[in-house]
Structures are given as C-alpha cells and as structure tokens.
Amino acid sequence: MSLKGKHVVVVGGTSGIGLATAKAFLDEEAEVVIASRSTAKLTSAKQVLGHNIQAFELDFRSEESAAEFFKQTGQIDHLVITAGEGVMGHFRDLDVTDAKTAFDSKFWGQYITARAVVPYLTNTGSITLTSGVYGVRPPKGASTLASINSAVDGLVRGLAVDLAPVRVNVVSPGIVDTPIYAGMPSDQRQQMFSGIAGQLPVGKVAKPEDIARAYIYLAKSEFTTGTVVLIDGGAHLV
Ligand SMILES: NC(=O)c1ccc[n+]([C@@H]2O[C@H](COP(=O)([O-])OP(=O)(O)OC[C@H]3O[C@@H](n4cnc5c(N)ncnc54)[C@H](OP(=O)(O)O)[C@@H]3O)[C@@H](O)[C@H]2O)c1
C-alpha cells in the first residue's frame, strides 16, 4: 500500500522516535500532522521537518484535548502514537503515585487517544501504538514499565478485534538513543549506551530512524493486525 497523500497523525512527533517517524512518513509523501504538549518542541520539530507538516498542541492524557484535536485534523488514514512517559524504580521503593502517573501517560494516554480517533479513521486505516522490550524482558527496577508495556501489547490485541477492519498494532522498541535520556549527564549516558551495546547481539543501541521503519511497515502492511513488532537488537535474548 502506498502512503502517498495519506493523512497521518504522529502523537509524540516532536521528539525522538516520533520525530523520526514523522520524517519517514514525509519521505513516503504522506500528509503529516504532529502533536505534543510543548510549543517549543512543536516549533523546533516544524523547523526540522519543513513546512509541509501541521503541528498542534495536545496533551494525550486528556479526553477533552484529544476530542478537540481530532476535530482539527479531520479524517485520518493512519494514527501513530509514540508519546508516553514511563518511570523506573525498584518495586519496593517506587511510590504507587509515581507508578500511577506513568500509567496515566503511557497506557491511558494511548488508550484515550485511540478511542478519540475512532470516528475519524478510514476503514482501510491503522493505529500503531508504542510499548517497549521491558514488557517481555524487564531489568531490575522496571516492574512498572513491564506492566505498562504488557498492557499496551494486550490492548492492541483487543482493539484489532473490536475496531476491525481498522488494523491495530504496536511497536516495541529496545534501547534507542533519544532525548528521553537527556536528563542524564552526557558521559554517563554514553557509558550506559556502550554497556548496553556490548551486551546486545547487534552490538549497538538503536537510532530513532531504525525504529521509524517499523511504523512505516505497519501502516503499509494490509495483512498485519493485532501484532507486536519487537525491534530491540536482540535484547529479549540476553
Ligand atoms: N528511547 C528508548 O530507549 C525507548 C525504549 C523503549 C520504549 N520507548 C518508548 O518509545 C516512546 C517514545 O520514546 P522516545 O525515546 O522517542 O521519547 P522522547 O524523545 O522523550 O519523545 C516523547 C514524545 O512524547 C511527547 N509527549 C510526552 N508526554 C505527552 C503528553 N502527555 N501528551 C502529548 N505528547 C506527549 C513529547 O513531547 P512534549 O514533551 O512536547 O509533550 C515527545 O514528543 C515512549 O513511549 C517510550 O517509552 C523508548
């Protein structure tokens, strides 16, 4: 299926995996809308992507914001959601409130946005969510993310049945070098990436562009629904 002229929305398209995915859809000659909360990130993403895109503010955790957002976009062929904020912390130490806040973002944000888009999606369209390898192979301190990612993987199986013939899938990335790690001092971040790369069968951490290809595949692949595309450099094996 060609993506030329198709209407694509990338929620979280102002940074990291979402920004690379918006670029990949533009390369396929799709009409792209990006959304996130920060005006500064929307402006800077527009500069990176060029003026062929539209950019709207959206907090995807709010049903009201999501409803207003899709009124602005109108009919859509493909929705991609990469927005989401998780949390790390040992099960014994992490406050329940912090675990719930992460669920509100990465699980409920995707749930609410997928629900809000339904009236606007074409029958030949698709929804692609984002989870992560910690859903199947959590390191210590990732029990909340393991739960959220597994819940998102489960959600797409249910939605693929409920929303058929719309196709619903999920990309589950391993470690990707994105601004999500911007809070770490750069030498510490590089050390962490080198350590992880050394353990992975592919010998490196991913770039956002590596993961963006999976969203393009899922938008194009008319026979794929209810599927988790695990793209993790082999992290689930080690
Ligand atoms: N990077 C990794 O190693 C990795 C590994 C596995 C899974 N993942 C998952 O992949 C997804 C993307 O990660 P990334 O590394 O690309 O992160 P990122 O660079 O931090 O980008 C996250 C994007 O989501 C937006 N966002 C966050 N909260 C939002 C909200 N409430 N409403 C609307 N937009 C919101 C952010 O923009 P605003 O701040 O402007 O809202 C930003 O555009 C996340 O779900 C993450 O858990 C990442």
Side-chain angles (χ1 to χ4, degrees):
M1 181 201 281
S2 164
L3 294 174
K4 187 172 179 174
K6 296 290 183 191
H7 291 269
V8 176
V9 169
V10 183
V11 175
T14 58
S15 177
I17 296 168
L19 182 62
T21 302
K23 166 90 175 54
F25 275 104
L26 284 174
D27 290 346
E28 297 278 337
E29 299 181 67
E31 306 281 333
V32 180
V33 175
I34 56 169
S36 82
R37 293 164 300 181
S38 140
T39 319
K41 283 190 202 170
L42 286 162
T43 306
S44 116
K46 263 191 113 163
Q47 275 160 5
V48 171
L49 296 170
H51 290 289
N52 287 341
I53 60 147
Q54 287 184 284
F56 295 117
E57 261 181 64
L58 166 69
D59 186 335
F60 81 150
R61 297 167 298 184
S62 153
E63 283 185 78
E64 293 74 25
S65 298
E68 284 306 311
F69 170 70
F70 289 115
K71 274 188 207 159
Q72 288 176 281
T73 64
Q75 201 179 52
I76 288 165
D77 296 294
H78 302 288
L79 170 68
V80 168
I81 308 176
T82 62
E85 291 173 313
V87 69
M88 290 292 286
H90 196 285
F91 183 68
R92 285 193 207 95
D93 307 324
L94 188 70
D95 284 344
V96 173
T97 313
D98 293 335
K100 285 185 173 178
T101 300
F103 258 93
D104 277 341
S105 177
K106 193 168 175 179
F107 178 77
W108 286 109
Q110 298 200 78
Y111 184 108
I112 285 166
T113 311
R115 195 155 186 275
V117 81
V118 171
Y120 299 92
L121 263 185
T122 56
N123 274 346
T124 51
S126 73
I127 299 174
T128 307
L129 305 186
T130 304
S131 60
V133 68
Y134 289 177
V136 290
R137 184 83 166 85
K140 277 201 168 146
S143 53
T144 299
L145 268 176
S147 315
I148 293 172
N149 291 331
S150 301
V152 174
D153 291 353
L155 177 64
V156 302
R157 288 188 282 274
L159 294 186
V161 176
D162 278 356
L163 300 183
V166 170
R167 297 180 299 101
V168 188
N169 295 291
V170 54
V171 173
S172 179
I175 300 299
V176 192
D177 184 355
T178 74
I180 211 169
Y181 302 108
M184 289 173 84
S186 117
D187 53 341
Q188 208 179 309
R189 187 170 67 234
Q190 287 317 320
Q191 213 177 352
M192 179 186 81
F193 285 153
S194 316
I196 291 167
Q199 289 167 10
L200 288 177
V202 296
K204 58 183 179 184
V205 299
K207 294 191 173 62
E209 296 73 27
D210 298 321
I211 311 300
R213 286 187 205 106
Y215 295 90
I216 298 291
Y217 159 73
L218 289 169
K220 282 185 168 181
S221 178
E222 294 174 54
F223 204 58
T224 309
T225 194
T227 292
V228 181
V229 174
L230 180 61
I231 172 162
D232 69 343
H236 65 289
L237 303 170
V238 294

